[in-house]
Amino acid sequence: MKVALKKVSELQRELDFEVSKDRVSAKLDEVHKELGKVSDQNAREELLRKLVPEVYQEGIKKENLFPIDMPEISDVIFKDGVVTFKARFEVKPDVTIRDYKGIKVKRKSNKVTDEDIDKTLEFFKRGKGKDFKIDEDFARGLGYPTLEEFKKSLVRQLEFDKDRRNRMDLENQLIEDLFDVIPDFSSVMLWSPTSTRGDRTNEEAFFGRTDHRVSAGG
């Protein structure tokens, strides 16, 4: 197997494959044994269905590449006993971790203010009409013995929510300071080359993005 690597962009790579006659012939013999007597066209289609994903996996391992999406397979040609095709895909970006010592981050307060409570209570009133009141009956209707207990529980929940948001804010601050990341990496969907999608097999998912063209000269 011959494989040539091309860097299309910062995240995109393309592999150009050429599979030798001997390997193609051996795989074609396997296909005939499995399928029995079939037309040459059907045998070639089954050959490509099996061979292309197999060779692609070998290629990315050989080049030490780590795709993060399904490959786009194109220019699949079976001619004179040789199979050639191209595979284009995106890879993990290079990430550089900066010196983390001395990094300063600012944590916001988890304190719940009267304004926070009022906003939350106003949320409960939405769509209830002008005469709706947040009172003892309302609290008991939610399972609290008193309105005071309801408000205490509300404060605890608001503190929990603020703490969660503040932790996320700290993480974002650290990420911004620690990493030099390619800007469009955050928009890339992560994918494992061995994963399946729904009920489809790996080969079916793989060939869902394949452009098959079998040369008539093969």
Side-chain angles (χ1 to χ4, degrees), residues 139-151:
R140 284 193 289 270
L142 293 177
Y144 296 93
T146 63
L147 179 60
E148 186 65 24
E149 288 299 318
F150 164 69
K151 288 185 176 180

Side-chain angles (χ1 to χ4, degrees), residues 3-135:
V3 57
L5 173 62
K6 177 183 177 181
K7 182 178 180 180
V8 181
S9 67
E10 286 299 320
L11 291 179
Q12 203 169 58
R13 302 290 183 272
E14 183 177 273
L15 291 176
D16 199 336
F17 292 90
E18 180 180 317
V19 188
S20 68
K21 288 184 179 180
D22 289 342
R23 181 166 181 180
V24 172
S25 177
K27 181 63 69 173
L28 194 56
D29 287 342
E30 291 180 17
V31 169
H32 281 297
K33 289 179 181 179
E34 290 178 6
L35 301 182
K37 190 175 182 180
V38 295
S39 67
D40 288 343
Q41 182 66 26
N42 288 340
R44 289 177 180 179
E45 289 178 355
E46 181 65 13
L47 165 72
L48 294 176
R49 190 181 74 82
K50 290 178 174 294
L51 187 62
V52 171
E54 179 182 298
V55 172
Y56 166 75
Q57 291 294 332
E58 292 176 8
I60 61 176
K61 289 179 181 178
K62 180 179 179 181
E63 297 296 331
N64 197 32
L65 297 171
F66 301 93
I68 57 176
D69 66 346
M70 298 295 289
E72 294 180 4
I73 306 298
S74 63
D75 299 338
V76 181
I77 299 175
F78 183 10
K79 185 177 182 180
D80 297 331
V82 175
V83 170
T84 59
F85 66 93
K86 298 179 185 295
R88 182 173 291 197
F89 48 87
E90 291 187 337
V91 296
K92 293 181 179 180
D94 294 327
V95 178
T96 302
I97 301 179
R98 297 173 179 168
D99 184 6
Y100 60 87
K101 294 181 179 179
I103 290 178
K104 295 181 179 180
V105 294
K106 184 177 180 180
R107 182 181 175 90
K108 298 176 182 178
S109 172
N110 293 344
K111 183 179 179 180
V112 176
T113 65
D114 291 338
E115 183 182 1
D116 294 329
I117 296 173
D118 290 341
K119 286 182 178 179
T120 305
L121 293 178
E122 284 299 319
F123 174 80
F124 282 102
K125 293 180 181 179
R126 288 181 186 176
K128 302 294 185 179
K130 294 181 179 179
D131 297 332
F132 180 79
K133 296 180 180 179
I134 304 291
D135 54 16

